[in-house]
Amino acid sequence: MNTYYKLIIFTALIFCGKGLKAQISDSLYSILPANLKPADPKALSRNEKMLLLKNAGTLPVKFWNEFEIFAEQIAKDNKKNIGREQLVIESGIMGNFYKIYAMNSKMPETGYARYRIAINYFKRVIELGESMPEFHRVVSDAYSYLSFIYIENNVYDSASFFSGKCINNSIQYKDSLSLFGGYCLLADLYMIMDSMDRALNINSLAIQLVPQDWEGRFLDRHYFKMRCYKTLYEQTKNMSYVDTAKKIADDIFQHAPKQSSIIYRVYEQLGKLYFAMKMYRKSILYLDSSLAEGQSNTNLEYLAVPGFMRELCLIRLGNKARIEYLLDSIPAGSYNTLRLLYEELYQQAVDENEWQNAYLYYREYNKYKDSLKISDVNRHIKEAEQKYEAAEKQARIAALENKSLIRQKEQRKIITVVVGVAFFFLVALGFVAGMYRYLHIKRKSEVQLLSAELYNVEAAIHDEKLQQQELVNAQRKKIAEDMHDEVSSGLAAFRFYIIDLKSRANNEETALMLSTLESEAQVLYQHVRTFMHNLNTDSTAAGYHVCELADQLSARFNNKKLLAIHTLIDRSGVEEHFTGDMHHELYLVIKEAVANSIKHAGASLIQISISFNDQHCFFAITDNGKGFKTRNADTEGIGLKSMASRIHAISGDFTMRTGSQGTVVEGSFPV
């Protein structure tokens, strides 16, 4: 039973852990500047996490594991409510964070994995932002960062492709700053590939984009040009390249601020140049000058060039003791340093005709020629083989001695796994059943609420119509009474006056004319009485109006989360063509169709449309519900029959289609 309890507790921890909010450690919170501190250290918002990631490069590397956790949490967040513009900005921040973190990773495998994540984020920036001109600078930066990453990982074809994309994008939008960055990356790439002529040409294009003020970027590009000419001399031994490199160095010394970092870098390049020229004492002088105040030349890592190259100069000057010193002092795993050391020792032995030493040095150098890590790989392989052999022997002994015990353990493991899977399956099944029942009850409650709301709409419309009709009936009755008292009695008196005149007429022609007037007066009197009778008749049944029903439904349901009703009605056509019967019948059809959608189809959206052509009115009530089962012609529901008969009563056609995609009630009638 302990196993089952552990499984249950482990599952509970997983589900509970998903609900925990991101928090920040006290040590990190204490060093954050005021503008980066979150409002609540135990519950950081998405924007607060992004702000920390954006400024991660200004904070100590030891806290970057926390930042990586924030980045992973952001990546898992739901992005439905994040706009495309915000996603472009956030992807750029995330990519830059992973790029910087990869550069500072101690383990190559970890750094490579972070580079891959950065690549994916920068490609997302390009995918989302390339079509938006306002993000052209962000897209250009993404191209340049991708080129930089591929250069760092020695994938030069991809690096060239993305630096070219950066340049093309910058030219398209006339962005000189991004264009400068693209040219610099491409020039660096050509230098790494030993194509110095191309590197110098591209570097000249970059120099043209910055102010010719011997400051900042202008100085950096001249330093790059000096490195190119130094490398050209190393490759060709052409002294003209030495003169050019020295002239550029003099220009930098003349214009750069004293004790600036570029001054020390120029000294370092001059030290390398004189080393290539075999002027070792002068090389030592410049290498020592390349160290800033407080720095030491005892660092023998290859990347810390001054200290290592100084030792090589001493060896070239005949100080053989420095060879043993170097071999004892170079840190383990410094593959570049060892490769360069054995290359120099081999060359010196050849120059001095020490062929036996030359062979030994060349053999050591050759270990690092094809792969800088080949010796380390061989060591790991040997250790792994030894461990494997020992483990294999132990496994054979254990297999012979404990064969039956192992079989029993495996059986217990299988039983435990099967029972555990069955248990979780039952739990999941119960959870699904519970959720289904909960959703069913919830939907039933929602349908009841919507039905009650629809009933309230009908009651409100009915009450409003009754009030309006009572007012109209009262007004019509008053008009009828007034006409009866005034007009009807006057017409009666006028008729009797004509009869009196006819009885006193002196000739036949006058009597005939008066008889005609008497007949017309009698007809007029009957028309007036009929009109008064109609005015005094209750017309409550004629109070149905389709547009008013649609307005009531749309206003009542359009802002509801459970149901929205939209209308698309040609109101001028309704007012011009509809008779009272048309209003009455279509009103009731719409009401019945909406009620069916709510009660039976479970719809969340209903649309009512009415349109006209020259001779017909077309109507449709559609929903997005699950549909409902229709019966055959003999047992068809009363509501459906009622809707069809109402449309047939005004000489129209009626159809209904239902399915899993929704229901459509539509038809037409002449107007």
Side-chain angles (χ1 to χ4, degrees):
M1 292 300 293
N2 290 336
T3 304
Y4 302 139
Y5 290 139
K6 289 178 182 178
L7 288 172
I8 293 171
I9 293 171
F10 178 70
T11 306
L13 287 173
I14 291 175
F15 282 105
C16 292
K18 289 182 179 180
L20 294 176
K21 294 183 178 179
Q23 61 182 16
I24 191 171
S25 66
D26 294 337
S27 56
L28 173 57
Y29 185 80
S30 64
I31 68 162
L32 290 177
N35 63 317
L36 296 182
K37 285 187 175 180
D40 184 358
K42 295 186 177 180
L44 276 70
S45 67
R46 184 186 184 93
N47 289 337
E48 287 171 336
K49 295 175 190 175
M50 293 303 305
L51 185 61
L52 287 173
L53 292 176
K54 184 178 181 180
N55 293 275
T58 64
L59 299 170
V61 177
K62 66 179 182 179
F63 296 112
W64 285 16
N65 284 335
E66 287 190 56
F67 299 151
E68 189 168 30
I69 293 173
F70 296 156
E72 292 171 354
Q73 291 170 344
I74 292 172
K76 294 178 182 177
D77 283 348
N78 188 356
K79 303 183 181 64
K80 289 183 179 179
N81 58 345
I82 301 177
R84 184 176 181 183
E85 294 83 359
Q86 183 66 19
L87 198 56
V88 171
I89 296 171
E90 289 188 358
S91 298
I93 294 173
M94 297 275 278
N96 197 41
F97 165 73
Y98 276 107
K99 174 181 73 71
I100 298 173
Y101 202 3
M103 293 166 59
N104 289 273
S105 297
K106 294 182 179 180
M107 298 295 294
E109 296 81 5
T110 306
Y112 179 76
R114 287 170 180 150
Y115 272 135
R116 294 303 307 171
I117 297 173
I119 287 171
N120 290 335
Y121 276 115
F122 288 135
K123 287 184 176 179
R124 182 189 296 174
V125 169
I126 295 168
E127 178 184 355
L128 296 175
E130 199 168 22
S131 61
M132 295 187 286
E134 64 270 23
F135 285 106
H136 70 86
R137 173 69 60 79
V138 179
V139 172
S140 293
D141 289 344
Y143 282 132
S144 64
Y145 291 148
L146 284 171
S147 179
F148 171 81
I149 291 172
Y150 283 119
I151 289 174
E152 287 291 301
N153 289 274
N154 303 322
V155 186
Y156 299 139
D157 53 348
S158 296
S160 176
F161 171 78
F162 284 110
S163 60
K165 294 288 287 185
C166 175
I167 292 170
N168 292 337
N169 194 66
S170 303
I171 292 173
Q172 178 182 352
Y173 291 102
K174 300 179 180 179
D175 185 352
S176 60
L177 182 61
S178 296
L179 183 59
F180 173 80
Y183 282 146
C184 291
L185 281 169
L186 193 57
D188 291 342
L189 178 60
Y190 283 136
M191 171 181 273
I192 293 171
M193 297 171 66
D194 287 333
S195 181
M196 297 302 157
D197 292 336
R198 290 185 178 181
L200 286 168
N201 289 336
I202 298 299
N203 189 61
S204 298
L205 296 177
I207 291 175
Q208 295 174 12
L209 295 173
V210 295
Q212 313 295 301
D213 52 7
W214 288 99
E215 293 183 1
R217 292 176 291 166
F218 187 74
L219 273 175
D220 286 336
R221 298 328 296 172
H222 276 75
Y223 169 73
F224 177 86
K225 186 161 63 172
M226 176 196 172
R227 289 176 58 199
C228 289
Y229 283 113
K230 185 266 298 183
T231 305
L232 283 170
Y233 171 75
E234 292 174 345
Q235 294 172 345
T236 65
K237 303 303 180 183
N238 187 334
M239 288 300 297
S240 63
Y241 294 134
V242 174
D243 296 337
T244 305
K246 287 181 178 179
K247 183 179 184 309
I248 297 172
D250 291 339
D251 290 337
I252 295 175
F253 287 143
Q254 181 180 353
H255 296 95
K258 302 301 181 185
Q259 295 185 344
S260 61
S261 62
I262 197 169
I263 294 292
Y264 297 115
R265 285 185 282 155
V266 171
Y267 279 136
E268 179 183 319
Q269 294 302 318
L270 287 173
K272 290 182 179 181
L273 178 63
Y274 282 112
F275 182 86
M277 296 169 65
K278 300 184 179 182
M279 300 173 67
Y280 303 117
R281 297 187 186 281
K282 205 163 188 179
S283 176
I284 291 174
L285 178 64
Y286 279 109
L287 290 171
D288 289 343
S289 299
S290 70
L291 297 173
E293 185 177 354
Q295 285 186 311
S296 170
N297 61 7
T298 59
N299 189 344
L300 302 181
E301 287 281 2
Y302 171 65
L303 295 180
V305 173
F308 175 72
M309 294 203 70
R310 190 177 190 278
E311 294 298 323
L312 293 182
C313 289
L314 292 174
I315 293 172
R316 285 287 191 170
L317 290 171
N319 191 344
K320 302 290 185 175
R322 306 311 294 179
I323 298 176
E324 295 298 327
Y325 169 74
L326 277 178
L327 291 175
D328 293 338
S329 303
I330 294 175
S334 299
Y335 302 108
N336 276 311
T337 310
L338 291 169
R339 178 184 62 82
L340 185 58
L341 172 62
Y342 282 115
E343 182 182 9
E344 288 297 324
L345 292 176
Y346 162 75
Q347 190 61 50
Q348 183 176 0
V350 170
D351 293 343
E352 297 176 359
N353 296 322
E354 297 179 359
W355 301 110
Q356 184 176 0
N357 287 336
Y359 170 72
L360 294 175
Y361 290 142
Y362 180 78
R363 191 172 65 177
E364 291 297 322
Y365 160 74
N366 204 44
K367 290 181 181 180
Y368 304 96
K369 182 178 179 182
D370 296 328
S371 172
L372 295 177
K373 297 182 180 179
I374 189 169
S375 62
D376 191 51
V377 171
N378 289 336
R379 178 173 58 82
H380 284 299
I381 291 174
K382 187 174 181 180
E383 291 176 356
E385 288 175 348
Q386 293 173 348
K387 291 179 180 178
Y388 175 76
E389 290 175 358
E392 189 177 26
K393 290 179 182 178
Q394 292 295 329
R396 288 173 184 171
I397 295 172
L400 293 173
E401 294 177 350
N402 305 310
K403 190 173 182 180
S404 61
L405 181 62
I406 292 172
R407 185 182 296 110
Q408 292 175 3
K409 288 182 178 179
E410 290 177 348
Q411 290 175 349
R412 284 199 296 269
K413 287 180 181 179
I414 293 173
I415 293 172
T416 301
V417 171
V418 170
V419 172
V421 170
F423 171 76
F424 278 107
F425 177 76
L426 291 175
V427 171
L429 187 63
F431 176 76
V432 171
M435 285 298 298
Y436 176 79
R437 180 172 177 78
Y438 167 75
L439 293 174
H440 178 72
I441 294 173
K442 182 180 178 183
R443 185 59 194 172
K444 187 175 180 180
S445 175
E446 291 173 353
V447 169
Q448 291 175 350
L449 289 174
L450 292 173
S451 298
E453 188 72 18
L454 181 62
Y455 174 79
N456 292 336
V457 172
E458 294 174 359
I461 294 174
H462 180 69
D463 292 343
E464 184 180 352
K465 289 298 181 183
L466 283 179
Q467 292 175 5
Q468 293 178 355
Q469 198 60 45
E470 286 176 0
L471 293 174
V472 171
N473 288 341
Q475 190 66 26
R476 291 171 65 172
K477 186 175 181 181
K478 180 68 169 58
I479 293 171
E481 289 175 353
D482 290 344
M483 289 183 67
H484 180 271
D485 294 342
E486 299 295 335
V487 179
S488 179
S489 59
L491 285 173
F494 180 65
R495 178 169 169 267
F496 286 118
Y497 178 69
I498 292 173
I499 293 171
D500 181 60
L501 286 177
K502 185 176 71 172
S503 64
R504 289 185 289 169
N506 295 327
N507 54 62
E508 184 178 351
E509 183 179 357
T510 300
L512 181 59
M513 292 178 62
L514 290 172
S515 295
T516 302
L517 285 174
E518 179 187 3
S519 299
E520 293 296 330
Q522 178 65 24
V523 172
L524 180 59
Y525 177 72
Q526 291 297 329
H527 286 173
V528 170
R529 283 181 60 83
T530 301
F531 179 68
M532 288 188 295
H533 175 74
N534 291 338
L535 276 176
N536 203 25
T537 301
D538 187 1
S539 59
T540 303
Y544 295 95
H545 199 287
V546 169
C547 293
E548 292 181 3
L549 173 64
D551 291 341
Q552 286 279 353
L553 292 174
S554 179
R556 190 68 67 94
F557 289 104
N558 203 32
N559 292 322
K560 299 288 184 181
K561 293 182 180 179
L562 300 178
L563 175 64
I565 297 180
H566 298 166
T567 61
L568 184 62
I569 297 176
D570 184 351
R571 297 176 181 273
S572 61
V574 171
E575 298 298 335
E576 180 180 354
H577 298 295
F578 269 30
T579 64
D581 288 341
M582 294 177 183
H583 273 291
H584 178 258
E585 304 300 347
L586 189 54
Y587 180 103
L588 296 176
V589 168
I590 293 174
K591 187 182 76 171
E592 178 68 21
V594 171
N596 287 341
S597 295
I598 293 174
K599 295 177 182 178
H600 305 301
S604 61
L605 175 64
I606 300 174
Q607 181 161 326
I608 302 169
S609 63
I610 300 175
S611 60
F612 296 86
N613 66 8
D614 294 337
Q615 298 178 347
H616 285 80
C617 169
F618 298 90
F619 68 90
I621 303 98
T622 62
D623 67 49
N624 65 345
K626 62 184 179 182
F628 49 87
K629 294 182 179 180
T630 57
R631 305 170 185 173
N632 56 42
D634 296 331
T635 62
E636 194 174 61
I638 296 174
L640 185 57
K641 282 184 177 181
S642 175
M643 288 191 289
S645 63
R646 291 186 183 281
I647 299 303
H648 294 156
I650 52 177
S651 303
D653 296 321
F654 174 86
T655 58
M656 185 193 74
R657 303 189 307 276
T658 184
S660 60
Q661 301 300 317
T663 301
V664 179
V665 174
E666 60 184 353
S668 64
F669 51 86
V671 294

